[in-house]
Amino acid sequence: MSGIRVGLGFDIHRLEEGRPCVLGGVELPHTTGPAGHSDGDAVLHAITDAVTGAAGLDDIGTLFPDDDPRWKGADSRALLRAAVGLAADAGWRPGNVDVVIATEGPKIKPHRAAIRASLAELLGLDVDDVNVKGKTLEGMTELAEGRAVTVHAVCLMTRVRPAD
Ligand code: MG
């Protein structure tokens, strides 16, 4: 049984006028923001799936269904914290996280440090163990018009003890 595992998460949300632009738990100054039943934070959703994936748990939609009153409209930070808790119950803790945010909407680079700090706090990691990269989408349809954000996240997890 390996003492390390890697998990991959992906998410995509439309960007709509008048929505707060919350990514990685940080509100960016921008005219559009990710749509969704809660804050639409695609960065936290992708990382949540990376964490649960590495820990051998179900995906975000199964663990935290939006038709469950406990999770309906929930702050995405609460979902990620809950996922880290479930992973810990299964004997895994995050080792490092790397994230690619691809969008023609908000500029990510000026906010990288704030997003890294936010993610490090949520994951219980040092900032050095959290990386974030912004990419453009080379001019493609809705993505090119800044009407969507896509996120890929990978999370290394280390085994801290056998599963219960
Ligand atoms: Mg999502």
Side-chain angles (χ1 to χ4, degrees):
M1 184 186 307
S2 171
I4 59 171
R5 280 190 190 160
V6 66
L8 174 67
F10 171 79
D11 200 18
I12 181 166
H13 281 240
R14 289 183 190 284
L15 291 170
E16 293 180 351
E17 293 286 338
R19 292 275 302 177
C21 192
V22 181
L23 292 171
V26 175
E27 185 163 346
L28 312 188
H30 195 65
T31 54
T32 64
H37 70 273
S38 59
D39 51 30
D41 192 329
V43 173
L44 297 190
H45 297 172
I47 294 172
T48 297
D49 263 344
V51 166
T52 57
L57 303 171
D58 280 331
D59 64 277
I60 186 171
T62 306
L63 289 170
F64 312 116
D66 59 17
D67 58 359
D68 181 330
R70 282 180 303 164
W71 304 113
K72 185 174 172 55
D75 184 323
S76 298
R77 291 174 296 188
L79 303 186
L80 179 55
R81 286 196 176 102
V84 170
L86 290 171
D89 291 345
W92 297 93
R93 78 162 170 237
N96 76 291
V97 170
D98 197 14
V99 181
V100 176
I101 305 170
T103 180
E104 303 271 342
K107 292 279 177 257
I108 301 304
K109 192 172 180 181
H111 308 290
R112 278 186 67 228
I115 295 171
R116 288 178 72 188
S118 168
L119 297 177
E121 191 275 322
L122 287 166
L123 291 158
L125 292 173
D126 292 337
V127 171
D128 279 354
D129 294 321
V130 178
N131 217 330
V132 173
K133 295 174 283 282
K135 302 282 286 182
T136 67
L137 289 156
E138 304 292 336
M140 281 171 267
T141 62
E142 289 181 326
L143 303 178
E145 292 160 22
R147 290 192 284 125
V149 57
T150 67
V151 181
H152 294 78
V154 65
C155 179
L156 183 85
M157 302 281 277
T158 57
R159 185 180 285 286
V160 289
R161 58 174 175 70
D164 293 332

